[in-house]
Amino acid sequence: MINIDELKSKAIEGIKNAKSLKDLDDIRVNYFGKKGEITAIMQSFKDMAAEERKTLGKVVNDARESIENLIKDKQTKFNEAILNEKLKLESIDVSLPSKKVGIGHFHPCTIVFNDVKNIFEKMGYVVVTGPEVEYDEYNFEKLNIEKGHPARDEQDTFYINDKVLLRTQTSPVQARVMEKGKLPICMISAGRVFRSDSVDATHSPTFHQIEGLVVDNDISFTDLKGTLTMFAKAFFGEDIKTRFRPHHFPFTEPSAEMDVSCFKCGGKGCRFCKNEGWIEILGCGMVNPRVYELCGLDKDKCQGFAFGMGIERLALLKYEIDDMRLLYENDVRFLNQFD
Ligand code: DAH
């Protein structure tokens, strides 16, 4: 006579001691496999009398069910433990610093232009644009740069034909705005200009300028000095001083160049400012009455000032770059340094 209770206790003990899914599977095969102990008992039922089969059948079935359930429970536990182990290995520490994502950078010239634009926009200036392929008439004629002026030489200017050229300065935008005849004018314009220069550390056949123009009926040289000094302080720092040296431009009278005190040495003189204490930043002046006439405005009712500066020059100074070519090579190792 088989002792089912003993068989069951043995199975329970085995399940309790099982250390792995493999151990559990061995137990399952021992009892329920082809040659398993419970399988053998079930097979012996067919030789039993109906009454005996009924009583024993129930006992065996109960034992089978509880052994199977115990195996299943333990399997679930093992599977959970395996899963937890796996999750632990795959888990991410969200407090760790993330990988740097490679996002783009603004070009130093774009940064400089945006800075200048923001300063002038706060003062009420509007940004206007003009064409890069320009008429001689706007680039020279209406700006009082008469025939025979050295700037018109083919050495300096890329001509497309007698009348059309690549603008050598952003000043023609002034003529285009004045020609519309609406005062007051308070504008800046930035863009690409062209000169037939060969490339070296300080020259390029194409570079960028920012132009400014203010015209109304009572604008004075004091307004010019105040505005440009305010700009220099906003761009280079509050401690900066400015000075205006007499100069000549055909489209302004009087004309000047503005220097800022060297922001490296504070004006004492150093390598950066070539021992001058001052650094040249821009050209400016009161709009020449002749230009008002050439642009169709009444010279007796107009007063204003204009200024122009090179964006590359500002970028070279601001970032202490000593070769202009670096700005055009677009080497990402260089560009990545500017945010
Ligand atoms: N157009 C001049 C240049 O290319 C710069 C300049 C000087 C512009 C004086 C101006 C100005 O508007 O008033 O050198």
Side-chain angles (χ1 to χ4, degrees):
M1 174 71 204
I2 311 144
N3 189 337
I4 299 288
D5 283 340
E6 210 175 273
L7 194 121
K8 195 173 150 186
S9 319
K10 208 173 76 186
I12 293 172
E13 191 61 20
I15 295 168
K16 224 167 90 187
N17 293 332
K19 300 260 178 305
S20 64
L21 284 172
K22 162 101 184 40
D23 290 352
L24 284 178
D25 204 48
D26 289 346
I27 294 169
R28 186 188 58 76
V29 173
N30 272 347
Y31 292 96
F32 307 115
K34 251 192 193 160
K35 291 179 187 156
E37 290 185 51
I38 302 243
T39 316
I41 298 170
M42 308 269 250
Q43 273 163 3
S44 69
F45 282 176
K46 61 179 183 305
D47 306 323
M48 282 179 198
E51 196 55 29
E52 196 187 357
R53 187 188 309 149
K54 205 175 165 193
T55 1
L56 191 64
K58 190 175 165 2
V59 180
V60 174
N61 259 340
D62 287 350
R64 189 181 56 105
E65 222 170 86
S66 37
I67 296 170
E68 271 177 354
N69 284 341
L70 285 172
I71 292 179
K72 247 187 232 152
D73 288 352
K74 190 108 184 205
Q75 269 173 342
T76 312
K77 272 195 196 128
F78 279 142
N79 280 330
E80 274 173 6
I82 291 169
L83 186 68
N84 279 340
E85 209 46 45
K86 202 169 156 212
L87 286 179
K88 230 188 260 167
L89 289 176
E90 287 175 0
S91 67
I92 304 163
D93 182 349
V94 290
S95 66
L96 286 174
S98 61
K99 264 197 200 154
K100 200 173 175 221
V101 184
I103 50 167
H105 289 254
F106 280 122
H107 190 279
C109 287
T110 310
I111 301 174
V112 164
F113 170 60
N114 286 340
D115 286 354
V116 174
K117 187 174 94 145
N118 285 341
I119 295 169
F120 281 105
E121 275 181 343
K122 275 188 201 147
M123 292 196 250
Y125 285 64
V126 292
V127 178
V128 293
T129 53
E132 289 174 1
V133 179
E134 184 55 284
Y135 289 107
D136 177 293
E137 188 188 350
Y138 289 101
N139 195 79
F140 293 130
E141 209 79 41
K142 285 178 189 282
L143 294 171
N144 195 32
I145 305 172
E146 73 282 11
K147 296 251 171 337
H149 192 283
R152 300 180 70 139
D153 199 304
E154 277 177 38
Q155 301 260 317
D156 291 305
T157 308
F158 289 113
Y159 282 93
I160 287 167
N161 58 38
D162 280 358
K163 293 192 171 117
V164 183
L165 42 75
L166 298 183
R167 66 178 177 186
T168 60
Q169 47 185 356
T170 42
S171 306
V173 185
Q174 289 188 25
R176 286 181 173 274
V177 173
M178 279 191 265
E179 195 184 52
K180 292 200 175 115
K182 257 181 90 183
L183 299 193
I185 297 167
C186 188
M187 60 130 238
I188 54 165
S189 183
R192 197 168 185 182
V193 300
F194 306 83
R195 300 212 184 150
S196 68
D197 276 326
S198 38
V199 179
D200 66 23
T202 51
H203 293 87
S204 161
T206 169
F207 56 101
H208 300 80
Q209 286 187 333
I210 300 178
E211 192 78 18
L213 175 70
V214 177
V215 181
D216 206 350
N217 39 40
D218 55 354
I219 305 288
S220 67
F221 200 85
T222 317
D223 294 316
L224 177 157
K225 286 178 80 174
T227 304
L228 294 179
T229 301
M230 206 158 132
F231 156 71
K233 284 177 181 291
F235 188 81
F236 291 108
E238 262 313 298
D239 299 336
I240 287 296
K241 289 187 190 65
T242 52
R243 78 173 181 190
F244 293 80
R245 279 180 292 101
H247 200 77
H248 170 76
F249 297 106
F251 35 88
T252 45
E253 183 58 36
S255 304
E257 275 189 331
M258 182 180 88
D259 298 338
V260 294
S261 53
C262 176
F263 36 86
K264 268 305 243 188
C265 65
K268 283 191 220 85
C270 66
R271 224 167 65 91
F272 195 67
C273 59
K274 300 191 183 81
N275 273 324
E276 300 259 334
W278 296 94
I279 297 168
E280 184 219 313
I281 295 298
L282 54 80
C284 57
M286 300 307 290
V287 178
N288 191 327
R290 182 81 189 114
V291 172
Y292 293 130
E293 279 178 343
L294 290 163
C295 295
L297 289 173
D298 184 343
K299 71 171 169 32
D300 297 323
K301 290 191 182 141
C302 293
Q303 274 187 341
F305 65 82
F307 55 89
M309 55 191 134
I311 297 184
E312 279 80 352
R313 183 167 167 73
L314 290 179
L316 296 181
L317 288 171
K318 180 169 174 164
Y319 297 113
E320 296 177 28
I321 302 164
D322 55 12
D323 194 325
M324 195 171 175
R325 285 169 287 200
L326 287 165
L327 295 174
Y328 304 123
E329 281 166 357
N330 288 333
D331 184 330
V332 284
R333 290 167 303 179
F334 169 76
L335 295 176
N336 274 344
Q337 300 172 70
F338 309 96
D339 278 318

